[in-house]
Amino acid sequence: MTTAAEGGELGPADHGRAAGPPVDRDGELALLSAAVRDAAAGRPGLVVLDAPDGMGRTTLMNGLLLEAHAAGLRVLRADGAADGHTAPLSTVRALLEPLSDGATRRPSARHPTAQPGEEPPRHDVLPRSDVRGGDVPHGVLDGLHQVVRRAARERPLLIAVDDAHAAEPASLRFLAHVARRLAGLPVLLCVARRSGGGSPLLDEIAALPMCRVLRPLPLTPGGIGLLARRLTGRDVDDGFGAACRAATGGSPLLVTHLLTALRDARLPPTADALAALDAKALEGFRACVIRLLDGQPTTVRRAAGALAVLGDRTLRETCARLATLDPGVFERCLAALGAVGLVDAQADGGTWSFTHPQVRAAAVTGVSSDEKSLLHALAARLLHESGAGVTEVAEQLRQSPESATHPWARAVLREAAREMTLQGFPDRAVELLRPCVPPGHEGTCPPELLLDLALAESRVDPAAGAARLAVALDRLTCPHARLTALSALAGALMRSGEVSRATALIDRCREYGTDSAAAASSAQLLEAQLLLVATGHRATYSRLLDSTSLDLGLPGDTAARRALLASRAVVCAARADRVAEARDAARTVLAHGTPVTDAVSTLGTAASVLLYTDRPRESAAAFRQLLDAPHVTREEAYPTLLALTAEAHARLGALGEALRTTAAALEGVAPAHAPAPATATRPAALPLAVRLHTLLDHGDLAAGTALVQDLPGRLDDEAWQWNEVLCARGRLRLASDDVEGALDDLTECGRRQRAWHRTSPAVSSWWYWAGRSHLARGDRATARQLADDAIESARAAHLPCALAQGLELRAATEAARHRPLLLQEAEAVLATTSAALLLARVRVARGRALHRCGDKQAARAVLRKAWEETYALGAPALHAEAHTALLATGARPRRPVPSGVDALTRSERRVAKLADSGLTNAVIARTLCVTRRTVEVHLTAVYRKLNVAGRRELRFVLRAGGEGAPHAVGA
């Protein structure tokens, strides 16, 4: 049964509910009504309904029949696709049968709205003749036309033929014959056909001068909303119409079935409810799509199957090759699918995609699993030959397990698995590699392939990975591959808590060397990697430290020794143990190592040692050099390296650079919901913490709150990176006046840091913000104890930034008269460092302390300096605090003068870079096509903003701010 709305199939109970005029069809209905009126008045009419399947063609035809009956026209109707209409002129005979003698012997085939008691007129005998194919004698055509003419003289006629594209050629020839001879007859001829039917006779009818061709357009979002209200009886949200149109292409038939699925599932017509429909609820929708596809030509169905196998956004040339179609034919097939609302062209103009996942599923309905496997194998080969990415090719190979036996397929799967591992999805890597190593064939497959699978599996299931690594280790012959297997096996054992077995592998490693030096190097590399792997598991890390030497006297002449030196140095720096030796060891590693000869983890660990020993400028420079390496972005630790770089920038006061770096680190990372212990979630924790600290330094509480709103109340992950998230969230809660919540987070952070042996006050500032929270609570004694512990540790380890921070916290616990001296000491300590933001914070505190002690003049001088520095640093929250304190002293500060590299204009930057490259003012003027005086004015402004005396100091300031000399003159 078809609805009165759009021609979709509904049950009897739905007919009345969906009843109403068709939506978005006002223009078409008006034209049909006018044609009916003209026919009733004795004027002929010719209309062709040209529409794809499901676009409401039959609905318009039914509306025309109802209109014609109401106007008193005699209705003659036939369906070209009806069963049995295969013999020549069978459609015509069904059409004209009510006018023949046969109509008196059996019920008429007229429209069901005809009155039961209506007496039929005088009947003619339809002429008969032997007709073969579409070759109809003119006499037969003229005789049939005479039947129409005689009937029209008695009463105006509507001749309606639905699905005319499916009618046999002889009947189409008669319709064309009648269409050319309508002049003077009160006859309205309406022919409905599928768009692109391709019949020359129907094209001839549509080309006649008096013909009006109606092409119904897809439903609009507003029309879909109106139809949804009629069918479901519920209000429609704003985005539903657009979402439903995107899922159906605006096809009335598909829209009706989608609305029926929503109604049957008792869901409201909203975009969210539409997305929530599962496959079971959409069975009717899928069946409708299958019927639409079955009604398409074979080439169109092949094109749909190829697109379903290859996936959305695949190049048309590749899809055409899989469908074994000419590209032009394939393009026309896609256009046909788009006309019925099944596919949609993408914005790039070169690719197509299915409108709904169930449309894709319907496109391969009826294809056996073996055929699908062959199609995916062929698709993989075509994608590989077209230069597609390995991940795309591997996805096709994954759905064709038999293809994994081919050498080229194994190479693609291995490369794709490495990509997945680097992106933090080892489970996907395992899924890709398992078909390459069928169960029971571990002893016959290539050992390198077995190693790749074991490496990925060890990240997902350490126990299973360790067992597979042990098998691979026995078969590997390459020393480098053996070392890789040993390292991974040790890591898997560490993650399983088997520390003794992992450390025993160091002795075994010495067996895999061609000489003693190679064996010692392998053992050193393995020991270094064990230390780094253990940083992901607290209990394992503690047990390993009890049995590992932390000798920092190794020379840095080999990559293995540098790796071991860096891993030991970071442990010492985190524990504030032999800090000077750890710093020197890190400098040795960075002086002798390069991104080409050393692992990224080695150089990144050494740079973090400088950060944890209060050398932020050195650390930032080391991280910058490391991040410039072309391959570092593919490393698993890349987000962590970006986070540590951002922390170095934040300690230097470069808040804008820190925000940009953390944004890059978090790019592509899923929101931090409940943190799982999976390795892939841990690198996102540190960027999250550093970004939150930087936002708070910037004074943006709203952005900070939004950043952590999805975090659970209690972070159960024991990885040390989440300790920093606790610290940052505790600081946020303190800034939001949630003192108790802040203390909960910061106290827990301190407990975890001690469990991780991260007791250096320079590693994390949790103790400082915990002290501030205790002060806000009125507990000065606890805050003083935290400050004293930090001061004692920082003095012993020579950590100037941590010492200054401890002195500032200690001053806040003292009476007003004792604060200036402590803060003056903190300021003096920071004067030798590059911690500009911390120095400005100490100066603001010292200025306030001096003001409380009554020394307004000294307070004004200190606060003015802090006010200018915070403006230059771009720290609006601290700048506002300094401004308020400065006003309290009676000062009336003017607008601060911009300073620093960021204050330079574009022209000043160009002049400064050229001057840095060694050019004279005259050469710079000629290069930039300006006067020499202009160059002098720009250089004067540069010297003032950068606070330098000449070109010699200019070079240092530009390099420190990341503004290097241009690569070429005038660049």
Side-chain angles (χ1 to χ4, degrees):
M1 179 179 294
T2 59
T3 68
E6 262 44 68
E9 294 186 0
L10 298 177
D14 301 315
H15 183 74
R17 175 179 288 184
V23 298
D24 287 339
R25 297 291 182 261
D26 295 340
E28 292 86 345
L29 291 175
L31 190 146
L32 293 175
S33 295
V36 168
R37 290 194 298 272
D38 287 344
R43 293 184 292 272
L46 177 59
V47 177
V48 171
L49 293 177
D50 188 290
D53 291 342
M55 203 57 69
R57 187 177 63 230
T58 302
T59 298
L60 289 174
M61 181 66 79
N62 289 339
L64 173 65
L65 297 177
L66 292 171
E67 187 83 18
H69 184 75
L73 272 67
R74 181 180 297 162
V75 177
L76 304 178
R77 181 187 184 187
D79 189 344
D83 294 338
H85 288 189
T86 56
L89 293 178
S90 56
T91 302
V92 172
R93 296 188 180 280
L95 181 71
L96 301 181
E97 187 178 12
L99 304 178
S100 69
D101 286 338
T104 61
R105 294 190 296 268
R106 62 170 183 242
S108 173
R110 290 174 295 172
H111 188 264
T113 57
Q115 297 297 329
E118 183 178 350
E119 291 296 330
R122 182 176 58 86
H123 299 95
D124 293 314
V125 177
L126 298 181
R128 298 184 179 276
S129 175
D130 293 334
V131 177
R132 297 180 181 179
D135 187 13
V136 186
H138 183 271
V140 174
L141 294 176
D142 188 62
L144 292 172
H145 184 249
Q146 291 299 324
V147 174
V148 173
R149 291 177 64 87
R150 284 192 292 270
R153 291 194 194 102
E154 300 175 358
R155 185 176 175 184
L157 288 180
L158 167 63
I159 300 177
V161 181
D162 200 1
D163 292 332
H165 56 274
E168 21 74 38
S171 294
L172 294 181
R173 186 166 295 281
F174 167 74
L175 293 177
H177 183 84
V178 172
R180 290 192 297 269
R181 293 165 174 78
L182 288 177
L185 296 178
V187 176
L188 172 59
L189 175 61
C190 181
V191 177
R193 69 168 181 176
R194 176 194 297 158
S195 295
S199 171
L201 291 171
L202 291 177
D203 293 340
E204 179 183 332
I205 294 174
L208 292 175
M210 69 178 301
C211 182
R212 299 295 301 272
V213 181
L214 298 184
R215 294 185 174 90
L217 296 176
L219 298 183
T220 63
I224 293 174
L226 176 59
L227 190 60
R229 281 189 288 272
R230 287 183 187 174
L231 185 59
T232 66
R234 298 192 184 190
D235 292 333
V236 182
D237 71 354
D238 296 335
F240 175 76
C244 189
R245 193 184 194 281
T248 60
S251 167
L253 181 63
L254 297 179
V255 168
T256 302
H257 279 82
L258 209 55
L259 292 174
T260 303
L262 277 175
R263 187 213 57 199
D264 292 345
R266 301 183 182 277
L267 294 175
T270 64
D272 292 339
L274 194 64
L277 286 173
D278 56 16
K280 184 176 181 180
L282 290 170
E283 287 180 356
F285 177 79
R286 181 175 175 177
C288 175
V289 173
I290 293 174
R291 288 197 299 273
L292 283 177
L293 286 172
D294 289 342
Q296 299 298 319
T298 304
T299 54
V300 176
R301 295 198 299 272
R302 279 163 45 195
L307 187 61
V309 169
L310 283 167
D312 294 346
R313 301 183 181 276
T314 305
L315 293 177
R316 285 174 290 188
E317 292 76 10
T318 307
C319 285
R321 291 181 63 188
L322 182 62
T324 62
L325 295 173
D326 179 80
V329 175
F330 182 77
E331 187 70 21
R332 291 192 291 273
C333 292
L334 289 179
L337 290 170
V340 295
L342 301 183
V343 300
D344 187 26
Q346 297 300 305
D348 56 18
T351 59
W352 295 71
S353 64
F354 286 104
T355 54
H356 194 279
Q358 287 301 315
V359 178
R360 179 194 305 281
V364 291
T365 298
V367 180
S368 66
S369 58
D370 292 340
E371 291 175 326
K372 286 182 182 178
S373 180
L374 290 174
L375 284 173
H376 284 295
L378 179 57
R381 173 63 78 175
L382 292 175
L383 289 172
H384 186 59
E385 292 176 355
S386 66
V390 292
T391 305
E392 190 176 358
V393 178
E395 181 59 27
Q396 296 293 334
L397 290 173
R398 185 185 65 82
Q399 301 180 69
S400 179
E402 298 82 3
S403 303
T405 58
H406 301 293
W408 72 270
R410 285 181 172 178
V412 169
L413 289 170
R414 290 180 66 186
E415 187 176 353
R418 293 191 189 102
E419 289 282 349
M420 291 293 102
T421 302
L422 289 174
Q423 294 175 18
F425 302 105
D427 52 335
R428 292 294 308 278
V430 173
E431 188 179 359
L432 291 174
L433 290 174
R434 272 181 179 160
C436 301
V437 186
H441 290 74
E442 290 81 358
T444 58
C445 71
E448 292 77 11
L449 180 61
L450 183 62
L451 175 60
D452 284 351
L453 175 58
L455 289 174
E457 201 168 38
S458 64
R459 296 172 178 268
V460 179
D461 185 350
R468 203 181 293 272
L469 281 166
V471 176
L473 193 59
D474 293 335
R475 297 189 56 210
L476 291 168
T477 57
C478 173
H480 179 71
R482 283 183 169 183
L483 176 61
T484 302
L486 272 172
S487 301
L489 179 56
L493 293 174
M494 295 281 278
R495 284 189 284 272
S496 300
E498 301 183 54
V499 179
S500 58
R501 286 185 61 192
T503 53
L505 290 176
I506 298 176
D507 296 330
R508 183 178 179 183
C509 186
R510 295 189 175 93
E511 303 173 5
Y512 298 126
T514 57
D515 53 46
S516 58
S521 177
S522 299
Q524 289 166 350
L525 277 174
L526 182 58
E527 184 178 351
Q529 291 173 2
L530 284 178
L531 280 171
L532 293 179
V533 169
T535 58
H537 306 270
R538 181 181 57 78
T540 303
Y541 182 68
S542 299
R543 293 173 58 188
L544 184 62
L545 290 185
D546 294 336
S547 58
T548 301
S549 170
L550 296 177
D551 178 21
L552 298 176
L554 293 173
D557 53 347
T558 66
R561 287 173 177 170
R562 289 192 292 271
L564 187 56
L565 200 57
S567 61
R568 289 175 175 178
V570 76
V571 174
C572 293
R575 300 198 301 188
D577 177 27
R578 294 173 291 160
V579 171
E581 292 181 52
R583 188 186 303 121
D584 291 341
R587 287 169 175 164
T588 298
V589 172
L590 293 171
H592 294 85
T594 66
V596 176
T597 59
D598 294 68
V600 170
S601 58
T602 298
L603 301 178
T605 301
S608 64
V609 171
L610 296 177
L611 181 65
Y612 292 158
T613 56
D614 276 352
R615 296 298 185 271
R617 187 173 295 281
E618 282 187 73
S619 176
F623 279 123
R624 188 182 302 116
Q625 182 180 4
L626 179 58
L627 292 174
D628 286 340
H631 63 281
V632 70
T633 56
R634 297 169 58 88
E635 295 287 335
E636 183 184 359
Y638 181 61
T640 300
L641 291 176
L642 287 176
L644 292 170
T645 306
E647 185 172 353
H649 285 305
R651 294 190 185 190
L652 289 171
L655 300 182
E657 186 64 29
L659 287 175
R660 286 190 291 272
T661 307
T662 53
L666 291 171
E667 185 177 359
V669 176
H673 299 291
T679 305
T681 67
R682 288 175 181 163
L686 196 57
L688 181 70
V690 177
R691 184 169 183 81
L692 182 52
H693 275 299
T694 308
L695 288 172
L696 294 174
D697 286 333
H698 202 267
D700 196 345
L701 290 181
T705 302
L707 187 64
V708 297
Q709 63 181 356
D710 291 331
L711 287 175
R714 179 178 177 83
L715 300 178
D716 295 327
D717 197 309
E718 284 291 332
W720 68 264
Q721 290 92 339
W722 288 102
N723 301 350
E724 306 304 330
V725 176
L726 275 173
C727 174
R729 191 174 69 178
R731 180 184 173 186
L732 173 65
R733 288 178 170 177
L734 176 61
S736 304
D737 296 327
D738 182 9
V739 178
E740 296 300 327
L743 278 175
D744 288 343
D745 278 347
L746 294 166
T747 303
E748 175 64 14
C749 177
R751 183 193 68 77
R752 295 190 185 188
Q753 294 285 39
R754 287 187 292 270
W756 271 104
H757 303 269
R758 295 170 60 86
T759 54
S760 172
V763 169
S764 174
S765 59
W766 72 268
W767 55 271
Y768 175 83
W769 299 110
R772 286 290 179 182
S773 299
H774 283 294
L775 285 174
R777 198 182 186 189
D779 186 358
R780 293 197 173 197
T782 305
R784 186 180 296 114
Q785 185 61 50
L786 288 169
D788 289 341
D789 292 343
I791 291 171
E792 181 182 358
S793 179
R795 285 192 192 278
H798 302 287
L799 302 170
C801 298
L803 175 59
Q805 208 170 12
L807 290 171
E808 182 201 350
L809 178 60
R810 185 70 166 79
T813 66
E814 294 291 337
R817 64 180 182 277
H818 298 306
R819 294 179 183 178
L821 287 177
L822 289 170
L823 293 170
Q824 184 176 3
E825 181 185 357
E827 189 175 350
V829 169
L830 289 172
T832 61
T833 71
S834 304
L837 185 62
L838 180 57
L839 177 59
R841 184 182 291 121
V842 168
R843 280 184 174 149
V844 171
R846 180 170 169 245
R848 284 182 159 177
L850 289 171
H851 183 224
R852 288 193 183 96
C853 292
D855 193 348
K856 288 187 178 182
Q857 185 174 358
R860 193 174 301 156
V862 173
L863 287 171
R864 185 180 296 277
K865 195 169 185 178
W867 179 67
E868 293 176 350
E869 289 173 346
T870 53
Y871 179 82
L873 290 173
L878 190 57
H879 178 71
E881 187 179 344
H883 185 75
T884 302
L886 187 56
L887 291 177
T889 65
R892 293 296 179 263
R894 298 180 180 180
R895 182 178 180 181
V897 179
S899 61
V901 175
D902 292 337
L904 298 179
T905 65
R906 183 178 180 183
S907 298
E908 290 167 354
R909 285 175 183 266
R910 295 188 67 188
V911 171
K913 288 183 179 182
L914 293 173
D916 179 28
S917 66
L919 301 183
T920 64
N921 290 358
V923 176
I924 295 174
R926 288 196 301 270
T927 302
L928 300 179
C929 299
V930 297
T931 65
R932 185 171 179 175
R933 176 59 181 162
T934 301
V935 175
E936 293 173 353
V937 170
H938 283 327
L939 279 178
T940 301
V942 169
Y943 295 156
R944 185 185 74 252
K945 291 181 179 180
L946 299 183
N947 193 25
V948 297
R951 298 192 182 209
R952 181 174 299 177
E953 296 181 16
L954 175 64
R955 172 169 300 185
F956 173 77
V957 175
L958 286 178
R959 300 294 169 81
E963 296 283 344
H967 297 291
V969 175

